[in-house]
C-alpha cells in the first residue's frame, strides 16, 4: 500500500471536521427572543434562566439567543415579527398584546385583582391558560406569564397623594386602549409612548410622569429624573412570553417538552428574582432621594367604579371575564 501523502492527510482531516461540524450545527435549534427591558431586569434574568435550563435539558440541542433593550424593535414591532415568522419569541406586556389578542385586555383594567395570590390563581386557572392560547391563531402563542407586580404613578416634580392630585397631569401610558381608559378614569391625561422613548420624554418634560411596576421604574433609570412615586398599585397587566405559532408548529414533540419544562423553571426563578428586585429598587430610590408615597388606595379604587359600570351597561364582552376573575378572588 502506498504511504498516505501529507496533503491527503490534511484533506481527510478537513473532511472529518466539516462533516461532523456541520452535523452538530444543523441539529442545534436556536430560538431568537427579543424584548425591550434592560439586562438587569428580573424578567430578563428569568429568561436567561430559561435559556440555561433549555440548553442543559436538551443536551445542547436547543438554545435561546436573547436580544434585550429593544434592539430588535418595540413591543408592537416584536409581535409583528413573530406573526411573519422573522422572530421566534418575544416578551411583551399584556397591555400591548391586547391590540392583537382582545381577551388579554382585561388584565389592564384598574384594581381588578385583590392581591398577588389572586392574580396567580387567575393565570394558572382555565382563564389564564386560555388567554395564553387565544393568540395562537394570530401566530402569537403564549408560553407563560411572568410576575410583573402592580403599576404605580411616578412623577418628575408633582406630588400625588390622592386621586385629585392627578388632575391635569400628562401621564405616559402603554399603547393600550384599556390602559388609556384606566389612567383617564383616575383623573390624569394619557400620552401613549413606547417604552424605549420614555426616558427622554420624562427628562425633556414631554410628560409629567408615567406609571409602571417598581423594578422597571428602577432598572430603566426613570427614577433618576423623577422626584415622587405614588404606590397606588392601580393596575397589574402582566408580562407574557410568546412564541411564533410558525416556529411552535415546526418543533418536534420532544423539543416542545424541553421548552415547556424550561419555561416552567424560568417562571419559578423569576418570581424569586422579583422579590429581591423590589428590595433593591426601594433602597435605590431612598439613596437617590426619591420620595415614595404610600397612599390610602380606597379613594383611587372608588374613582374607577364608573369604568366598570359602563362596561356592564354596554355589555362589553370583557365584563364577563371581569366577573369570572373576581369570582376567583373569594378564595384569597
Ligand atoms: O413590558 O412599556 C411598559 O411600560 C412595560 O412595562 C414594559 O415595556 C415591559
Amino acid at each position: 500500500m502506498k504511504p498516505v501523502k501529507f496533503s491527503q492527510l490534511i484533506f481527510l482531516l478537513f473532511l472529518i471536521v466539516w462533516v461532523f461540524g456541520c452535523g452538530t450545527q444543523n441539529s442545534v435549534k436556536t430560538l431568537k427572543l427579543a424584548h425591550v427591558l434592560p439586562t438587569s431586569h428580573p424578567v430578563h434574568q428569568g429568561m436567561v434562566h430559561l435559556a440555561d435550563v433549555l440548553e442543559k435539558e436538551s443536551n445542547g440541542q436547543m438554545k435561546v439567543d436573547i436580544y434585550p433593550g429593544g434592539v430588535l424593535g418595540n413591543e408592537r414591532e416584536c409581535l409583528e415579527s413573530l406573526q411573519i415568522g422573522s422572530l421566534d419569541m418575544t416578551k411583551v406586556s399584556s397591555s400591548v398584546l391586547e391590540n392583537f389578542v382582545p381577551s388579554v385586555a382585561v388584565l389592564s383594567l384598574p384594581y381588578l385583582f385583590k392581591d398577588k395570590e389572586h392574580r396567580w390563581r387567575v393565570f394558572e386557572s382555565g382563564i389564564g391558560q386560555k388567554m395564553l392560547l387565544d393568540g395562537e391563531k394570530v401566530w402569537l402563542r403564549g408560553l407563560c406569564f411572568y410576575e410583573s407586580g402592580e403599576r404605580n404613578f411616578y412623577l418628575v416634580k408633582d406630588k400625588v397623594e390622592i386621586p385629585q392630585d392627578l388632575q391635569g397631569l400628562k401621564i405616559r401610558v402603554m399603547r393600550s386602549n384599556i390602559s388609556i381608559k384606566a389612567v383617564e378614569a383616575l383623573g390624569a391625561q394619557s400620552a401613549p409612548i413606547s417604552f424605549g422613548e420614555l426616558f427622554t420624554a420624562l427628562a425633556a418634560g414631554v410628560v409629567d410622569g408615567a406609571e409602571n411596576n417598581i423594578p422597571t421604574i428602577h432598572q430603566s433609570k426613570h427614577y433618576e429624573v423623577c422626584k415622587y412615586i405614588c404606590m397606588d398599585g392601580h393596575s397589574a397587566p402582566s408580562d407574557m412570553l410568546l412564541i411564533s405559532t410558525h416556529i411552535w408548529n415546526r418543533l418536534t414533540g420532544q423539543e416542545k417538552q424541553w421548552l415547556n419544562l424550561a419555561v416552567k423553571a424560568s417562571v419559578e426563578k423569576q418570581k424569586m428574582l422579583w422579590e429581591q428586585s423590589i428590595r433593591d429598587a426601594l433602597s435605590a430610590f431612598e439613596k437617590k432621594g426619591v420620595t415614595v408615597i404610600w397612599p390610602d388606595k380606597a379613594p383611587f379604587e372608588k374613582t374607577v367604579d364608573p369604568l366598570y359600570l359602563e362596561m356592564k351597561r354596554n355589555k362589553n364582552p370583557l365584563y364577563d371575564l371581569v366577573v369570572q376573575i373576581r369570582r376567583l378572588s373569594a378564595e384569597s
Side-chain angles (χ1 to χ4, degrees), residues 306-322:
L307 183 62
Y308 284 100
L309 283 176
E310 187 196 308
M311 285 175 75
K312 189 177 175 185
R313 217 182 10 247
N314 297 345
K315 298 198 178 6
N316 186 321
L318 283 186
Y319 195 75
D320 281 346
L321 265 179
V322 170

Side-chain angles (χ1 to χ4, degrees), residues 94-112:
S94 59
S95 294
V96 177
L97 184 63
E98 81 187 33
N99 297 297
F100 300 76
V101 184
S103 64
V104 303
V106 75
L107 302 176
S108 306
L109 282 168
Y111 298 110
L112 173 69

Side-chain angles (χ1 to χ4, degrees), residues 36-37 75 91 93 151 172 174 195 212 239:
V36 301
L37 296 170
E75 296 195 332
K91 189 291 306 163
S93 169
R151 294 174 80 93
R172 176 269 174 173
M174 289 183 276
F195 186 69
N212 219 315
D239 275 4

Side-chain angles (χ1 to χ4, degrees), residues 35-37 41 43 75 91-96 148 151 154 172-175 193-196 198 210-213 216 222 237-240:
H35 67 84
V36 301
L37 296 170
H41 197 285
V43 173
E75 296 195 332
K91 189 291 306 163
V92 296
S93 169
S94 59
S95 294
V96 177
S148 316
R151 294 174 80 93
Y154 55 108
R172 176 269 174 173
V173 290
M174 289 183 276
R175 295 185 186 277
I193 294 176
S194 293
F195 186 69
L198 181 52
E211 45 95 57
N212 219 315
N213 56 53
T216 305
H222 294 169
S238 185
D239 275 4
M240 293 171 74

Side-chain angles (χ1 to χ4, degrees), residues 50-237:
L50 184 157
D52 290 347
V53 174
L54 185 62
E55 189 167 355
K56 195 157 157 255
E57 284 298 323
S58 68
N59 282 319
Q61 290 180 59
M62 281 184 93
K63 286 189 179 172
V64 176
D65 277 350
I66 308 180
Y67 297 79
V71 287
L72 295 189
N74 64 31
E75 296 195 332
R76 191 188 176 96
E77 288 161 347
C78 286
L79 288 167
E80 286 166 353
S81 299
L82 253 66
Q83 290 188 303
I84 55 171
S86 65
L87 177 66
D88 304 326
M89 293 166 81
T90 190
K91 189 291 306 163
V92 296
S93 169
S94 59
S95 294
V96 177
L97 184 63
E98 81 187 33
N99 297 297
F100 300 76
V101 184
S103 64
V104 303
V106 75
L107 302 176
S108 306
L109 282 168
Y111 298 110
L112 173 69
F113 300 105
K114 191 166 147 198
D115 50 27
K116 182 175 165 182
E117 286 66 39
H118 178 203
R119 235 184 309 126
W120 278 95
R121 194 172 306 120
V122 171
F123 295 162
E124 283 160 10
S125 73
I127 304 172
Q129 296 310 301
K130 181 174 178 303
M131 271 180 202
L132 290 176
L133 296 183
D134 276 349
E136 193 164 26
K137 49 190 176 302
V138 288
W139 310 107
L140 303 167
R141 188 181 205 277
L143 289 171
C144 68
F145 297 93
Y146 282 124
E147 174 57 26
S148 316
E150 294 168 344
R151 294 174 80 93
N152 308 283
F153 290 107
Y154 55 108
L155 294 305
V156 176
K157 57 179 173 37
D158 302 276
K159 194 172 186 174
V160 171
E161 292 173 301
I162 51 171
Q164 284 74 8
D165 294 335
L166 285 165
Q167 298 277 334
L169 296 183
K170 201 167 167 192
I171 302 291
R172 176 269 174 173
V173 290
M174 289 183 276
R175 295 185 186 277
S176 138
N177 274 339
I178 301 284
S179 301
I180 292 171
K181 278 197 170 162
V183 163
E184 290 180 353
L186 286 157
Q189 287 172 32
S190 62
I193 294 176
S194 293
F195 186 69
E197 291 157 29
L198 181 52
F199 185 91
T200 319
L202 287 165
V206 173
V207 286
D208 298 306
E211 45 95 57
N212 219 315
N213 56 53
I214 295 305
T216 305
I217 299 173
H218 176 213
Q219 300 298 346
S220 61
K221 310 247 186 283
H222 294 169
Y223 77 104
E224 292 186 358
V225 289
C226 288
K227 267 210 182 106
Y228 297 103
I229 300 177
C230 172
M231 302 285 264
D232 66 307
H234 56 264
S235 67

